[in-house]
Amino acid sequence: MNGAQAKMEVHEDLFPRLEEARAITDRLFDVVKPEALYDRPIAERHRIVFYIGHLEAFDWNLFRGRAFAAEPFHPQFDRLFAFGIDPVGGGLPADQPSDWPRLEEIREYNRRLRQEIDSGLGGGRAGSAGAAKPGGAANGPNGSATEMPSRDLLLHVAAEHRLMHAETLAYMFHQLPLDHKFAKMFQASRPTPAVPVESLRPIEIPPGTATLGLARGDRFGWDNEFMEHVTEVPGFTIDEYKVTNGEFLKFLREGGYQERSLWDDKAWQWITSAGVRHPAFWSEPDGRDGHWFYRTMSAEIPLPAGWPVYVSHAEASAYARWAGKRLPTEAEWHRAAYGAPHGPERDYPWGSDAPNARFGNFDSAQWDPTPVNAYPAGRSGYGVADLVGNGWEWTSTVFAPFPGFEPFSFYPGYSAGFFDGQHYVMKGASARTAACMLRPSFRNWFQPRYPFVYAGFRCVEN
């Protein structure tokens, strides 16, 4: 373990970050009417009630025995709420609402956990007696060393894990019937005009390099973000904007979902067996003058042609084949986003300024997408728009470890459990992605036939 890896210096107390993340998820559960908290909005996922317990149980299981010593007081709940599900094999959970504990029991468990965690962490006072860990030296920000992880590293993990779930919960709640949510929590979205077709132009990216990943040091990253490495990227052209609902509607109307040659074998089996005929966020016309509708978080509105389309990787790949193009690799996407004609790679597509509302639709500023040309200040050095925020972007890269990967010693399955060839890398961010995860090295990933994520795409050509 080298010196840079051995210690992550404390520049600020990170406990307030965890408190802020807690406040975000607490408010998010208030979106759902109490009688719907045992619903399962997405068949492949747990019921909502699981996540009410999971967020607190994760923190408890993470900190206890590492950041402080404490005895478990409800081992059954510690296990029940420990892990979510990722049904790669196609199996769906079959539990019933009655199989889960009463909400009052879960909330009392959560209250006790927060009290124990806050006490064990010293109420957020770095270096206090209560913040001491049971033993061992602090390890690096990637958590790969065998020594006990530092308090700061664990706080980073707890805060970002919770913020990731805030986004997961948002897209789950998006699938709830509208009358299962409190309308007063939302500001209704309105239809917006389509982006002029003449502005949907490909942008040429010259050959060059992309610096993927993080170097070991004093900056936090998840284990799959390490190690930093430079890769050569041949020249290519990339769409100026994400593919819009309006553009995708052309694919649908020209029979894209019925054309076998556009789909690989597993994707074709999926759309035929599940009856997939349009994006999950769209509603069929049902005799309404042939007009398509879009389900926002709070209402059903006429299809906003200028918003990015949200689809699965399988649907994005089929569209790209139909258009005679393909999805970008992770390295191509990175070069288009952070490269520049002159000078080094940028911290963000727009430059070095910290993320703010001028540059894109992110950090939970809105519930729904915006037009793909709404943030000209967020363009990359090559002029590519809307790269960070307004929807993750699918790449053609299978999620796999970077050279030098080491799993978190305290969370070995965070990434490694998904290096199975059945998940694809997504880059960028959605409207509900926290600003702290807009760093260039952050990698998201999902299965190719999962249509509920806030994920769009753009196409490339050589």
Side-chain angles (χ1 to χ4, degrees):
M1 183 173 63
N2 60 38
Q5 185 181 352
K7 183 178 181 182
M8 181 167 58
E9 294 184 5
V10 178
H11 300 290
E12 60 176 336
D13 181 28
L14 294 172
F15 187 82
R17 285 196 64 208
L18 177 58
E19 291 186 306
E20 180 182 5
R22 285 172 173 173
I24 289 170
T25 52
D26 287 350
R27 289 195 301 268
L28 194 54
F29 285 115
D30 290 340
V31 165
V32 183
K33 292 182 178 180
E35 60 269 24
L37 290 173
Y38 285 77
D39 286 3
R40 192 197 309 278
I42 297 175
E44 294 90 343
R45 296 292 170 222
H46 275 309
R47 298 179 184 278
I48 296 169
V49 67
F50 164 80
Y51 299 94
I52 296 174
H54 170 67
L55 295 174
E56 310 304 329
F58 178 90
D59 291 352
W60 173 246
N61 291 329
L62 177 70
F63 289 121
R64 187 178 63 83
R66 297 186 180 96
F68 55 81
E71 293 298 319
F73 62 89
H74 205 320
Q76 180 185 0
F77 278 16
D78 295 348
R79 293 187 299 269
L80 178 65
F81 295 113
F83 299 108
I85 51 178
D86 185 58
V88 174
L92 299 177
D95 57 275
Q96 299 301 313
S98 58
D99 296 328
W100 291 91
R102 292 183 301 110
L103 197 58
E104 293 76 11
E105 294 179 275
I106 300 171
R107 285 177 169 157
E108 174 57 27
Y109 170 74
N110 288 350
R111 186 199 63 76
R112 174 79 181 275
L113 286 191
R114 284 198 187 180
Q115 183 180 58
E116 295 278 350
I117 290 170
D118 292 359
S119 175
L121 292 174
R125 296 184 298 277
S128 69
K133 49 189 179 294
N139 68 349
N142 67 319
S144 60
T146 57
E147 288 85 353
M148 190 68 67
S150 71
R151 174 184 182 275
D152 280 6
L153 172 58
L154 296 176
L155 281 165
H156 269 297
V157 167
E160 286 205 4
H161 169 266
R162 188 175 286 265
L163 292 170
M164 289 179 196
H165 270 295
E167 181 167 351
T168 301
L169 288 165
Y171 79 68
M172 284 179 59
F173 296 171
H174 209 120
Q175 299 302 317
L176 277 171
L178 297 176
D179 61 0
H180 287 203
K181 295 176 280 190
F182 288 111
K184 64 182 180 181
M185 299 291 292
F186 309 103
Q187 182 176 2
S189 300
R190 292 180 174 83
T192 50
V195 176
V197 174
E198 60 268 23
S199 72
L200 295 173
R201 61 186 177 90
I203 291 180
E204 185 173 350
I205 309 296
T209 61
T211 306
L212 303 180
L214 279 174
R216 305 229 191 259
D218 64 356
R219 185 176 180 183
F220 172 73
W222 293 89
D223 55 8
N224 66 77
E225 296 179 58
F226 298 93
M227 287 280 292
E228 181 182 278
H229 61 288
V230 176
T231 183
E232 293 289 334
V233 182
F236 61 98
T237 61
I238 188 167
D239 292 347
E240 181 179 8
Y241 299 110
K242 294 177 176 69
V243 172
T244 64
N245 287 320
E247 291 294 304
F248 200 85
L249 183 58
K250 299 175 186 176
F251 163 78
L252 183 150
R253 285 176 169 166
E254 292 186 18
Y257 280 91
Q258 289 77 47
E259 179 51 60
R260 174 66 180 86
S261 64
L262 300 177
W263 306 80
D264 65 33
D265 290 344
K266 289 184 177 179
W268 185 250
Q269 181 182 9
W270 169 61
I271 68 166
T272 54
S273 63
V276 178
R277 291 293 180 268
H278 58 79
F281 290 82
W282 294 16
S283 299
E284 294 191 64
D286 284 337
R288 291 174 285 195
D289 300 323
H291 294 143
W292 285 83
F293 286 76
Y294 187 94
R295 188 175 58 258
T296 72
M297 184 64 97
S298 59
E300 188 177 69
I301 63 175
L303 185 69
W307 290 7
V309 67
Y310 288 166
V311 290
S312 66
H313 185 275
E315 292 164 296
S317 299
Y319 176 98
R321 294 187 190 101
W322 171 79
K325 301 180 182 182
R326 60 180 176 83
L327 299 182
T329 65
E330 181 177 8
E332 287 173 333
W333 191 96
H334 183 101
R335 179 155 171 74
Y338 304 108
H342 308 288
E345 290 184 353
R346 297 178 167 191
D347 296 329
Y348 302 99
W350 55 84
S352 59
D353 290 349
N356 66 57
R358 293 177 51 239
F359 299 124
N361 180 15
F362 45 69
D363 207 25
S364 298
Q366 302 188 63
W367 287 104
D368 295 302
T370 54
V372 297
N373 62 349
Y375 296 94
R379 288 179 179 271
S380 75
Y382 289 110
V384 187
D386 211 32
L387 284 155
V388 172
N390 215 27
W392 293 94
E393 299 193 24
W394 289 108
T395 74
S396 61
T397 298
V398 174
F399 184 56
F402 286 153
F405 168 81
E406 296 179 43
F408 278 154
S409 61
F410 55 91
Y411 194 177
Y414 172 73
S415 299
F418 301 94
F419 295 151
D420 56 5
Q422 300 190 63
H423 295 78
Y424 285 84
V425 174
M426 299 191 305
K427 295 293 290 184
S430 83
R432 308 304 296 179
T433 305
C436 61
M437 289 181 278
L438 302 186
R439 55 185 180 269
S441 58
F442 189 84
R443 309 169 84 198
N444 200 352
W445 67 92
F446 268 95
Q447 300 172 40
R449 295 170 294 281
Y450 189 71
F452 305 109
V453 189
Y454 297 141
F457 68 101
R458 69 184 77 216
C459 299
V460 300
E461 293 181 274
N462 290 105

